[in-house]
């Protein structure tokens, strides 16, 4: 009786936790708490005295980090026979960054590339390349964190050092399992219908990783690109700290950023907004960074990729010819907001060219 009574409650909790509005509300509360708990005015004053040279270096390093991320992902597609130009891959990566800024979900970029580019490469190959590139970047992140923990003499700090050891070990195990999955999938007997059917569904994905196993060069290239790219991101943060007039070493960011990024997966907030910044500020304060500096650096983490996301949005507009009609974006945004809020759209009489056979032809 208890299990039956609890079932509707569990269903309701799952529905609420998975609701976009719940996460948006969680982000709003987290942002309010973040603003209330920090001296935002002092952080903004630091931005007013920004050193142009160091700030330019920080943006340049961030741009190189983005280029490394394109390389980290593209080598898997190009190395398995998909002859895609680097400019084409780069444009799609930038458009993915734009999607990540617009949609309150950390996987928006991957989902968009999987759906749209999967029509060219096959969805199994595309999903495998995205997962593999994420794994390469995460392994690089773990290696930098482990190195920083050693250099900061925190080997005796068991939770921190052991955490990065376990983190790196888990990523290595994940790589091994992914690379040998196809070998074991092929051995599933047909009489085990469920597992055999699941294996057939996963075959395009596991077969792609098996192709990676047969081409170790592209594995090494991606992991090196992911490691270098994360290092460039860390040095970009250090350069921006110098631009703000402070001195925060890359080792501090190498330890703090991976922990703060875990907030992205907390289901109480959309993409960890508000929670991620608060966690990063707390970690930086623990390492002796002043409160205004920690707040400014947490804001820079959010603003760092905005120029590249805007560039991705411009690429999209150019490809679709929308720059010739600048009011299109404003009108479409107004329509989406009105629909979401339940308000009637402005201009109730539709334009003649948007009516097809008595139906609204707008999409």
């Amino acid at each position: 009786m208890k299990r039956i009574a609890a079932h509707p409650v569990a269903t309701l909790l799952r529905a609420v936790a998975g609701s976009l509005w719940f996460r948006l509300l969680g982000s709003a509360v987290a942002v309010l708490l973040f603003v209330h708990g920090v001296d935002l005015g002092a952080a903004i004053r630091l931005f007013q005295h920004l050193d142009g040279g160091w700030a330019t270096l920080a943006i340049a390093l961030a741009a190189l980090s983005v280029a490394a991320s394109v390389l980290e992902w593209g080598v898997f597609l190009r190395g398995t026979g998909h002859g895609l130009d680097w400019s084409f891959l780069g444009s799609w990566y930038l458009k993915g960054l734009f999607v990540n800024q617009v949609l309150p979900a950390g996987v928006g970029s991957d989902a968009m590339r999987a759906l749209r580019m999967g029509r060219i490469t096959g969805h199994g190959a595309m999903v495998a390349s995205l997962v593999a590139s994420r794994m390469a970047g995460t392994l690089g992140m773990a290696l930098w964190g482990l190195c920083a923990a050693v250099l900061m003499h925190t080997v005796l700090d068991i939770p921190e050092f052991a955490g990065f050891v376990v983190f790196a070990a888990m990523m290595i195990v994940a790589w091994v399992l992914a690379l040998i999955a196809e070998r074991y999938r092929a051995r599933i007997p047909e009489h085990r219908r469920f597992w055999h059917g699941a294996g057939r569904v996963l075959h395009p994905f596991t077969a792609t990783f098996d192709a990676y196993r047969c081409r170790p060069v592209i594995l090494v290239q991606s992991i090196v690109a992911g490691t270098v790219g994360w290092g460039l991101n860390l040095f970009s943060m250090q350069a921006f700290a110098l631009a703000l007039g402070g001195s925060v070493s890359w080792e501090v960011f190498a330890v703090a950023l991976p922990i703060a990024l875990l907030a992205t997966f907390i289901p109480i907030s959309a993409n960890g907004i508000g929670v991620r910044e608060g966690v990063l500020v707390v970690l930086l304060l623990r390492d002796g960074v002043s409160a205004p500096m920690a707040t400014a650096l947490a804001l820079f983490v959010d603003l760092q990729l905005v120029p590249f996301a805007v560039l991705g949005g411009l690429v999209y507009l150019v490809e679709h010819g929308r720059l010739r009609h600048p009011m299109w974006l404003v009108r479409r945004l107004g329509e989406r907001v009105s629909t979401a809020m339940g308000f009637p759209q402005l201009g109730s009489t539709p334009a003649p060219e948007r009516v097809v056979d008595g139906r609204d032809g707008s999409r």
Side-chain angles (χ1 to χ4, degrees):
M1 292 296 293
K2 291 183 179 180
R3 293 181 60 185
I4 297 176
H7 183 267
V9 176
T11 302
L12 178 61
L13 291 176
R14 285 196 298 267
V16 171
S19 170
L20 174 61
W21 292 108
F22 173 78
R23 296 194 177 192
L24 291 176
L25 179 61
S27 290
V29 173
V31 169
L32 289 175
L33 292 175
F34 173 75
V35 173
H36 178 72
V38 301
D39 190 350
L40 195 59
I44 294 175
R45 285 192 292 273
L46 288 178
F47 280 99
Q48 294 174 350
H49 302 284
L50 201 65
D51 184 281
W54 284 114
T56 301
L57 177 60
I59 297 300
L61 291 174
L64 292 175
S65 177
V66 170
S69 298
V70 177
L71 177 64
E72 168 193 323
W73 165 52
V75 293
F76 287 116
L77 292 174
R78 291 172 59 89
T80 50
H82 302 287
L84 302 174
D85 294 333
W86 285 112
S87 59
F88 179 77
L89 292 171
S91 67
W92 273 100
Y93 188 86
L94 290 175
K95 287 187 285 187
L97 291 179
F98 174 71
V99 170
N100 266 2
Q101 296 296 321
V102 174
L103 297 179
V107 297
S109 171
D110 292 347
M112 185 269 292
R113 283 182 284 167
L115 291 174
R116 302 298 296 272
M117 289 190 65
R119 302 171 184 174
I120 301 173
T121 63
H123 290 94
M126 177 54 61
V127 172
S129 70
L130 294 172
V131 172
S133 64
R134 291 285 188 178
M135 291 170 62
T138 305
L139 179 58
M141 181 192 302
L143 294 177
W144 277 101
L146 186 59
C147 181
V150 173
L151 294 177
M152 293 174 67
H153 307 290
T154 57
V155 176
L156 297 179
D157 189 353
I158 299 301
E160 191 169 274
F161 180 75
F164 280 105
V165 171
V166 172
F167 189 17
M170 288 177 60
M171 290 310 307
I172 293 174
V173 170
W175 268 112
V176 172
L177 293 177
L179 294 174
I180 65 174
E182 174 62 18
R183 182 180 302 179
Y184 289 93
R185 185 211 65 82
R187 296 178 182 177
I188 300 176
E190 293 188 7
H191 68 270
R192 295 187 176 180
R193 295 183 178 180
F194 175 80
W195 295 110
H196 186 74
R200 291 181 60 183
V201 172
L202 293 175
H203 172 62
F205 179 82
T206 56
T208 304
F209 268 93
D210 191 61
Y212 298 158
R213 181 180 60 83
C214 298
R215 296 172 176 83
V217 174
I218 63 175
L219 288 175
V220 174
Q221 288 175 341
S222 181
I223 292 174
V224 169
T227 304
V228 171
W230 183 249
L232 290 169
N233 188 52
L234 297 177
F235 290 121
S236 172
M237 294 294 300
Q238 183 176 4
F240 193 77
L242 291 170
L244 293 171
S247 180
V248 184
S249 67
W250 66 266
E251 294 98 329
V252 173
F253 294 114
V255 173
L257 280 176
I259 300 174
L261 290 176
L262 290 176
T264 304
F265 302 99
I266 297 178
I268 62 171
S269 174
N271 201 18
I273 298 173
V275 179
R276 180 180 60 241
E277 293 81 2
V279 172
L280 181 57
V281 168
V282 171
L283 293 173
L284 293 177
L285 289 175
R286 185 200 63 173
D287 289 312
V289 182
S290 66
M293 179 69 67
T295 304
L297 291 172
L299 294 176
F300 179 68
V301 171
D302 293 333
L303 300 175
Q304 190 179 28
L305 294 179
V306 169
F308 309 104
V310 171
L311 182 58
L314 292 175
V315 169
Y316 173 82
L317 294 176
V318 168
E319 289 181 352
H320 292 76
R322 298 302 185 184
L323 288 182
R324 294 194 298 269
H325 307 284
M327 289 304 297
W328 171 87
L329 187 61
V330 177
R331 185 175 66 250
R332 180 57 58 89
L333 180 62
E335 291 175 354
R336 295 290 174 85
V337 173
S338 298
T339 302
M341 300 298 294
F343 298 140
Q345 296 184 6
L346 296 178
S348 57
T349 304
E353 64 274 14
R354 298 181 65 189
V355 178
V356 181
D357 295 332
R359 296 189 298 269
D360 186 358
S362 61
R363 300 178 66 178

